């Protein structure tokens, strides 16, 4: 069998190619691949390892609800460091939940000419939630975004796009130079991964729904020329059965939905190659 590289926490682990007849077991934040012939455990990621990974890749200083590896709890913050929203060069500001945060690494790695800013919180939708950190993140954003005035604002979240009053929300952002709404990212079912370049996508219908909401002829975006929508489905998927999952044998995901550092770098490069961030 061939050998591929599989990303876990900060390093690559080689494991045998997963083909038909190989068992792949998955529980939340714990991925185990077993060779059907040898019953040999070949790769696993523990819950704690994944949380530690998320802590480091998500720019925790600028995360209002960052998981802390020492306390093993979410840190609900009322404020973040001023470095998170001040800049000297051209700037890109990320706002949303962890599905916005997972772009931070790729943006920082590939856009040296920009200062990458962040006002975000784990599990914090744009329309809000009951957590202290989320309230702080969204309130601070609402009160300061016009003053901060980044060159590019990137909005992204796991779901909840349909729950936001976009006309009112974007009306508050119409003075900004450029607003990019990234649609929902593909979420995979690790346990149903059959081929190394194909996985079952759990939210394909939701991605189509949100794409239509923003791309239909009478979309609310027609009223806001500074706002652009990017379909992550179109960027990463060829159809509902096949989206980018493993690239050159390396998994672009850290879990069923969040991009790894490798994945963040890969996806941002794709956005740039299609001239979707400019």
């Amino acid at each position: 069998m061939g050998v591929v590289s599989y990303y876990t926490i900060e390093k690559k682990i080689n494991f045998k190619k997963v083909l038909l007849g190989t068992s792949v077991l998955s529980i939340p934040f714990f991925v185990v691949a077993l060779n059907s012939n040898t019953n040999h455990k070949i790769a696993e990621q523990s819950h704690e390892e994944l949380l530690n990974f998320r802590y480091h890749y998500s720019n925790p200083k600028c995360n209002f609800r960052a998981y802390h590896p020492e306390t093993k709890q979410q840190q609900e913050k009322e404020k973040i460091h001023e470095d998170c929203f001040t800049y000297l060069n051209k700037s890109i500001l990320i706002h949303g939940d962890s599905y916005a945060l997972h772009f931070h690494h790729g943006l920082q790695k590939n856009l040296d000419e920009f200062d990458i800013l962040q006002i975000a919180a784990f599990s914090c939708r744009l329309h809000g939630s009951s957590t202290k950190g989320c309230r702080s993140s969204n309130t601070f954003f609402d009160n300061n975004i016009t003053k901060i005035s980044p060159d590019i604002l990137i909005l992204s979240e796991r779901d909840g796009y349909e729950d936001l009053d976009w006309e009112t929300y974007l009306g508050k952002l119409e003075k900004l130079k450029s607003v990019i709404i990234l649609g929902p990212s593909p979420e995979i079912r690790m346990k149903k991964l059959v081929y190394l370049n194909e996985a079952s996508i759990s939210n394909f219908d939701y991605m189509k729904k949100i794409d239509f909401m923003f791309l239909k002829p009478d979309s609310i975006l027609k009223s806001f020329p500074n706002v652009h929508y990017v379909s992550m489905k179109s960027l990463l998927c060829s159809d509902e059965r096949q989206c980018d999952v493993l690239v050159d044998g390396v998994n672009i995901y850290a879990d069923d939905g969040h991009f790894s550092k490798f994945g963040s770098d890969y996806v941002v490069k794709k956005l740039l190659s299609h001239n979707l961030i400019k």
Side-chain angles (χ1 to χ4, degrees):
M1 287 186 173
V3 177
V4 300
S5 297
Y6 184 85
Y7 255 86
T8 58
I9 318 307
E10 303 291 339
K11 63 182 181 180
K12 297 178 182 178
I13 294 178
N14 289 330
F15 71 107
K16 293 184 178 179
K17 203 167 186 178
V18 181
L19 298 173
L20 285 172
T22 297
S23 300
V24 179
L25 309 179
S26 175
I27 57 177
F29 305 110
F30 188 84
V31 180
V32 181
L34 300 175
N35 182 281
S36 59
N37 296 320
T38 63
N39 203 38
H40 176 62
K41 185 186 296 185
I42 41 187
E44 67 176 41
Q45 298 177 86
S46 72
H47 180 64
E48 183 175 344
E49 284 175 325
L50 276 171
L51 289 174
N52 276 320
F53 176 81
R54 289 187 189 176
Y55 172 80
H56 290 294
Y57 91 82
S58 63
N59 191 18
K61 179 176 70 173
C62 304
N63 184 349
F64 278 89
R65 296 193 71 232
Y67 170 84
H68 199 282
E70 294 179 4
T71 63
K72 297 180 173 57
Q73 295 179 346
Q74 299 278 13
Q75 290 181 302
E76 301 283 348
K77 303 176 185 177
E78 292 185 356
K79 59 183 181 179
I80 52 176
H81 197 279
E82 64 179 12
D83 289 349
C84 301
F85 49 86
T86 56
Y87 53 93
L88 298 174
N89 306 301
K90 292 192 295 183
S91 60
I92 295 176
L93 189 148
I94 308 167
H95 181 57
D97 60 12
S98 59
Y99 285 72
L101 294 168
H102 67 179
F103 291 104
H104 182 273
H105 173 78
L107 291 168
Q108 191 168 57
K109 183 176 179 180
N110 291 285
L111 292 164
D112 292 338
E113 69 273 27
F114 285 89
D115 289 337
I116 308 302
L117 316 177
Q118 181 175 299
I119 301 172
F122 282 165
S123 303
C124 184
R125 306 300 187 262
L126 298 176
H127 67 275
S129 80
S130 59
T131 64
K132 177 181 176 181
C134 182
R135 290 197 303 271
S136 297
S137 177
N138 286 346
T139 299
F140 184 83
F141 176 85
D142 291 344
N143 292 341
N144 293 278
I145 185 57
T146 301
K147 178 182 177 182
I148 296 169
S149 190
D151 292 281
I152 299 173
L153 169 65
I154 294 179
L155 302 171
S156 184
E157 56 186 345
R158 179 183 185 184
D159 51 32
Y161 292 84
E162 69 277 25
D163 297 322
L164 189 63
D165 177 354
W166 284 100
E167 184 172 8
T168 300
Y169 193 85
L170 294 176
K172 298 176 182 178
L173 306 176
E174 59 184 353
K175 293 183 179 179
L176 299 186
K177 298 175 185 176
S178 176
V179 179
I180 299 173
I181 302 170
L182 297 180
S185 298
E187 296 185 28
I188 65 172
R189 296 185 178 100
M190 283 283 193
K191 65 183 178 181
K192 292 188 176 181
L193 191 144
V194 178
Y195 301 106
L196 283 175
N197 65 345
E198 182 178 332
S200 175
I201 306 302
S202 61
N203 66 334
F204 198 84
D205 287 342
Y206 183 71
M207 289 192 293
K208 288 197 296 185
K209 172 184 174 180
I210 301 306
D211 281 1
F212 178 75
M213 184 177 84
F214 284 111
L215 298 176
K216 61 184 179 180
D218 59 344
S219 165
I220 185 64
L221 298 190
K222 299 295 183 183
S223 302
F224 300 96
N226 68 324
V227 182
H228 307 281
Y229 177 80
V230 176
S231 166
M232 299 302 290
K233 176 179 72 66
S234 296
L235 185 73
L236 297 174
C237 303
S238 57
D239 57 48
E240 63 184 277
R241 285 189 51 80
Q242 186 163 340
C243 297
D244 295 351
V245 176
L246 289 130
V247 177
D248 296 329
V250 181
N251 197 336
I252 69 171
Y253 287 89
D255 55 24
D256 283 357
H258 298 89
F259 299 128
S260 63
K261 283 189 175 182
F262 173 83
S264 181
D265 180 36
Y266 170 77
V267 173
V268 169
K269 278 184 167 72
K270 254 199 151 173
L271 288 166
L272 293 172
S273 70
H274 287 75
N275 206 29
L276 296 174
I277 297 177
K278 54 186 177 179

